[in-house]
């Protein structure tokens, strides 16, 4: 099905428009079963050519509104690697805090607005406003906290304006960080309410399992449940860590006839990225509250139920908030300093990698001696998940083939949504066609 | 009169402007009560062909999208372009600096001729259909969005600033970023964002588009004062409006 000749074909467009699920059953036999993603290509890798290294993050953050901070961080790290720029420990910590704000924002958006309606049997969050206003308000509050947090560190909630090669444009005031820390402490009870609500409907999470490969970042020195530093690992390579410069060896992209989006594979036919991948590879490093939340849902290392990705995101929310409270302590104890950041153009090539809320993200750029981009290569998590979604379909549908059409449709939609694909409208973007 | 029916549509974009609507948080619950949202893929499953106000996010990059937009226009009494992709083309217009075939080959290599990759040079919404109101920015400013929607609900014409970002930046007491060797587009870009980027220590990169009559001579003076060439300024001007430059520059 795939063609090795196309391994070096990389596309950048985020998935846009309608994702399609096609199920074709004739006389009880599955004739056609496909996850399709038609895209409106935006050609970022071509567009950035000729642009200054200083403007790369501004441009590529526009790949995605939901994970713009993540894209900016991956790009900035790649630029810094290409130019040999070092970042101070303080800026590094502030960036991680900034990154956490987006993880919390995106996770609460997905859990609360996109996934939760499925668990309640509702078509969207809107009917829940009248049915469960207190719960909706709790989710809205947690989402707002995450956005205000991004505002403080990134300059705004979407498309950060404080990230520059070599560091940050500004340092927050100690008072602001102290206030943020208090807000985060106050958010923990809200997260517990959300967890209790999700637990109360956890029976609606389909019990489906399929062994697959889970790929994520892994940081061994110091061992950390990482979203930002470290190398690439999978449960298939015995815990080894591949340096991010070698990401092409991991995300082997290929083209299939049925889909306009590219697929990726490493050791098997497909792999999964995202919260469940991070959990499976790093769960022993979760914060105490993260571990507690995992226990609440009986989520254990080696879980291969893709529907549990949403639960893994919830677990990460606790970890993120708890870890951030500690990091703010560390920053305040050391004392914040205003830092002047300078950089100058240089020829070079470099890769940057961070975990987007929905999985591992790679950026790579090459610059000429004037610091202008001559080549770019970006691989987004959603594309790395496509093949895995298709493989899940192939195992899931025969198992539920005797259920009603509505039930099959809902489970397939829920499955795609559980991957939290980088289509902000994924809740209702799915057009399921049954051909009988 | 019943509540106005509102539909939100997206084209080529990052959907960050729709996200800003979601980010209104508690205020969104109030706003949703004041209108009848009949189509919004990000939040609702419903679809409708009847609406009074159509909000368009994203730029237009494919022939089929032009057709879709034209149909939306015929159905809507008021059409609003939401965010830089819709108002000025946004970063998507950087694509127009290259030959389409080159762009496709650069990203897709040997698969560049796949039919679904057929795209046209990027257009802002008003290059395809008549636009009644523009909500500027990348992303849009949430306060400005609610202000404009409130004005429309009250039958008033919203006032959109037609003075440069420098005005708001000065009012905030920010140091001028040109003093910090940043090529800031504040002198020629439309205000209304509260000088958000310069207030964070980051140059204005022009996401709200140019003011109606940019003071090009003043911009040239600034460039001269800091010993730079017009080319440097032009290179920064393409980021969000590659074909939208001041005509007398």
């Amino acid at each position: 099905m795939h063609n090795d000749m196309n391994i070096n074909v990389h596309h950048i467009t985020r998935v846009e428009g309608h994702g399609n699920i096609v199920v074709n059953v004739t006389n009880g036999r599955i004739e056609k079963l496909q996850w399709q993603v038609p895209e409106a290509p935006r050609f970022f890798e071509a567009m950035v050519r000729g642009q200054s290294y200083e403007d790369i993050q501004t441009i590529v953050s526009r790949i995605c509104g939901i994970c713009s901070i993540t894209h900016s961080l991956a790009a900035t790290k790649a630029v810094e690697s290409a130019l040999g720029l070092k970042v101070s420990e303080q800026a590094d910590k502030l960036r991680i805090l900034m990154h956490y704000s987006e993880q919390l924002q995106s996770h609460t958006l997905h859990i609360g607005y996109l996934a939760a309606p499925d668990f309640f049997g509702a078509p969207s969050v809107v009917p829940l406003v009248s049915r469960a206003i207190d719960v909706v308000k709790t989710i809205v509050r947690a989402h707002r906290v995450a956005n205000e947090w991004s505002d403080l560190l990134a300059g705004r909630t979407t498309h950060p304006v404080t990230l520059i090669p070599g560091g940050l444009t500004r340092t927050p005031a100690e008072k602001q960080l102290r206030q943020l820390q208090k807000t985060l402490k106050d958010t923990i009870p809200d997260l517990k309410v959300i967890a209790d609500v999700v637990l109360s409907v956890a029976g609606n999470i389909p019990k489906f399992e399929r062994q697959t490969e889970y790929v994520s970042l892994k940081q061994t020195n110091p061992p950390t449940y990482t979203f930002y530093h470290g190398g690439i690992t999978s449960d298939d390579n015995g815990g080894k860590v591949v340096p991010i410069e070698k990401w092409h060896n991991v995300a082997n992209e290929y083209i299939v006839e049925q889909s306009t989006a590219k697929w990726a594979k490493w050791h098997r036919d497909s792999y999964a990225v995202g919260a469940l991948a991070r959990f499976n590879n790093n769960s022993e490093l979760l914060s105490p509250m993260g571990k507690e939340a995992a226990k609440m849902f009986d989520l254990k290392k080696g879980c291969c139920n893709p529907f549990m990705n949403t639960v893994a995101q919830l677990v990460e929310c606790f970890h993120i908030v708890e870890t951030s409270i500690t990091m703010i302590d560390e920053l305040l104890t050391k004392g914040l300093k205003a830092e002047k950041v300078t950089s100058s153009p240089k020829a070079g090539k470099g890769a940057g990698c961070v975990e987007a809320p929905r999985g591992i993200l790679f950026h790579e750029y090459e610059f000429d001696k004037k610091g202008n981009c001559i080549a770019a290569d970006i691989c987004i998590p959603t594309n790395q998940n496509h093949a895995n979604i298709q493989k899940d379909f192939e195992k899931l549908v025969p198992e539920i083939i005797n259920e009603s059409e509505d039930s099959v449709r809902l489970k397939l939609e829920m499955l795609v949504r559980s991957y939290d694909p980088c289509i902000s409208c994924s809740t209702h973007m799915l057009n399921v066609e049954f051909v009988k | 009169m019943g509540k106005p029916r509102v539909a939100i549509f997206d084209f080529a974009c990052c959907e960050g402007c729709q996200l800003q609507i979601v980010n209104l948080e508690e205020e969104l619950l109030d706003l949703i009560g004041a209108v009848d949202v009949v189509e919004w893929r990000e939040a609702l499953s419903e679809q409708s062909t009847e609406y009074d106000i159509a909000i368009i996010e994203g730029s237009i990059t494919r022939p089929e999208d032009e057709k879709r937009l034209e149909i939306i226009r015929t159905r809507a009494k008021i059409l609003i372009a939401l965010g830089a992709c819709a108002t000025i083309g946004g970063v998507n217009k950087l694509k127009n600096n290259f030959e389409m075939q080159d762009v496709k080959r650069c990203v897709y290599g040997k698969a560049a001729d796949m039919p679904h990759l057929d795209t046209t040079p990027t257009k802002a919404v008003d290059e395809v259909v008549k636009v009644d109101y523009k909500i500027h920015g990348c992303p849009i400013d949430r306060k400005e969005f609610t202000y404009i929607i409130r004005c429309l609900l009250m039958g008033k014409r919203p006032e959109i600033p037609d003075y440069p970002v420098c005005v708001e930046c000065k009012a905030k007491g920010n140091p001028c970023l040109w003093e910090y060797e940043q090529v800031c587009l504040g002198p020629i870009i439309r205000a209304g964002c509260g000088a958000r980027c310069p207030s964070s220590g980051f140059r204005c990169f022009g996401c709200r588009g140019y003011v109606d009559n940019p003071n090009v001579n003043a911009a040239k003076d600034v460039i001269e004062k800091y010993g730079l060439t017009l080319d440097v300024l032009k290179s920064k001007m393409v980021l969000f409006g590659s074909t939208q430059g001041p005509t007398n520059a």
Side-chain angles (χ1 to χ4, degrees), chain A residues 58-91:
Chain A
T58 299
I59 300 167
V60 300
S61 81
R62 271 75 188 173
I63 291 170
C64 177
I66 292 183
C67 41
S68 60
I69 292 177
T70 303
H71 275 285
S72 291
L73 284 168
T76 306
K77 282 177 81 178
V79 169
E80 285 161 353
S81 164
L83 271 60
L85 292 167
K86 292 271 175 283
V87 176
S88 75
E89 195 189 327
Q90 175 182 292

Side-chain angles (χ1 to χ4, degrees), chain B residues 92-111:
Chain B
N92 296 335
K93 273 208 169 174
L94 285 170
K95 180 181 89 177
N96 299 359
N97 297 334
F98 305 91
E99 288 292 326
M100 282 308 117
Q101 193 57 25
D102 165 56
V103 166
K104 286 196 281 185
R105 206 171 288 132
C106 171
V107 180
Y108 290 89
K110 286 176 182 157

Side-chain angles (χ1 to χ4, degrees), chain A residues 70 96-97 99-111 142 146 149 184 187-188 191-192 194-195 198 214-218 224-228 272-297 299 308-325 354-360 418-420:
Chain A
T70 303
I96 292 172
L97 271 182
H99 196 204
Y100 279 157
S101 73
E102 184 167 86
Q103 302 284 339
L104 183 65
Q105 185 264 32
S106 181
H107 281 0
T108 48
L109 181 82
H110 180 248
I111 298 164
W149 181 6
L184 293 181
T187 300
I188 292 170
L191 287 182
K192 286 185 174 158
I194 295 169
V198 175
Y214 287 98
V215 176
S216 73
L217 273 181
K218 182 179 174 127
T224 308
Y225 190 101
T226 182
F227 292 82
Y228 191 72
V273 301
L276 190 56
R278 290 189 289 265
F279 177 87
N280 278 334
N281 290 333
N282 300 303
S283 62
E284 65 279 7
L285 299 167
L286 280 168
S287 74
M289 271 193 271
K291 281 182 179 155
E292 213 174 292
K295 210 170 159 189
M296 205 174 143
F297 288 87
L299 179 65
M308 290 298 277
N309 191 53
T310 307
V311 170
Q313 289 183 328
L314 183 59
V315 168
E316 286 189 341
C317 289
F318 284 96
H319 173 86
I320 284 160
V321 169
E322 194 175 16
T323 309
S324 299
I325 291 168
V354 291
E355 285 279 346
R358 47 203 56 72
I360 198 163
S418 70
Y419 279 86
D420 190 10

Side-chain angles (χ1 to χ4, degrees), chain A residues 5-6 9-14 16-18 39-47 49 51-52 54-55 57-59 62-66 105 109 113-114 123-126 129 133 137 140-141 143-144 147 151 155-159 161-164 169-170 255 260 262 423-425 427-429, chain B residues 10-16 18-20 22-23 25-26 29 32 41-47 59 61-62 65 85 91-98 100 102-104 106-111 114 116-117 119 138-139 142 180-182 196-197 199-203 205 207 235-236 238-240:
Chain A
M5 271 195 318
N6 290 318
V9 182
H10 300 279
H11 62 129
I12 158 80
T13 100
R14 63 174 294 245
E16 194 73 36
H18 290 71
E39 343 157 320
R42 290 195 292 151
F43 304 103
F44 274 88
E45 288 153 314
M47 282 171 2
R49 289 172 302 162
Q51 300 299 325
S52 163
E54 293 176 306
D55 295 321
Q57 79 83 11
T58 299
I59 300 167
R62 271 75 188 173
I63 291 170
C64 177
I66 292 183
Q105 185 264 32
L109 181 82
Y113 300 157
L114 304 182
S124 74
V125 75
V126 176
V129 173
I133 185 67
K137 279 190 171 166
V140 168
R141 204 155 51 226
H143 190 245
R144 177 164 49 73
N147 275 327
D151 254 338
R156 46 188 191 181
T157 58
T158 306
H159 304 318
V161 290
T162 58
L163 271 175
I164 47 169
T169 57
R170 65 171 185 194
I255 288 177
T260 58
K262 272 178 287 184
I423 316 171
S424 50
C425 47
T427 315
H428 300 289
M429 58 109 200
Chain B
D10 52 57
F11 290 83
C13 64
C14 77
E15 291 171 27
Q18 281 188 69
L19 188 63
Q20 299 319 305
V22 176
N23 287 350
E25 319 290 6
E26 289 89 343
L29 300 178
I32 282 184
R41 217 165 40 131
E42 182 157 323
L44 304 174
S45 54
E46 288 80 2
Q47 288 191 323
S59 54
T61 63
R62 296 186 295 194
D65 292 337
C85 290
V91 292
N92 296 335
K93 273 208 169 174
L94 285 170
K95 180 181 89 177
N96 299 359
N97 297 334
F98 305 91
M100 282 308 117
D102 165 56
V103 166
K104 286 196 281 185
C106 171
V107 180
Y108 290 89
K110 286 176 182 157
M114 290 190 290
H116 69 279
L117 297 179
T119 67
C138 179
R142 296 197 285 274
Y180 293 83
E181 295 172 4
Q182 293 202 43
R196 197 149 174 107
C197 301
S199 301
S200 292
F202 201 93
R203 62 196 171 276
F205 41 81
C207 72
S235 75
K236 300 297 179 193
V238 300
L239 287 189
F240 278 82

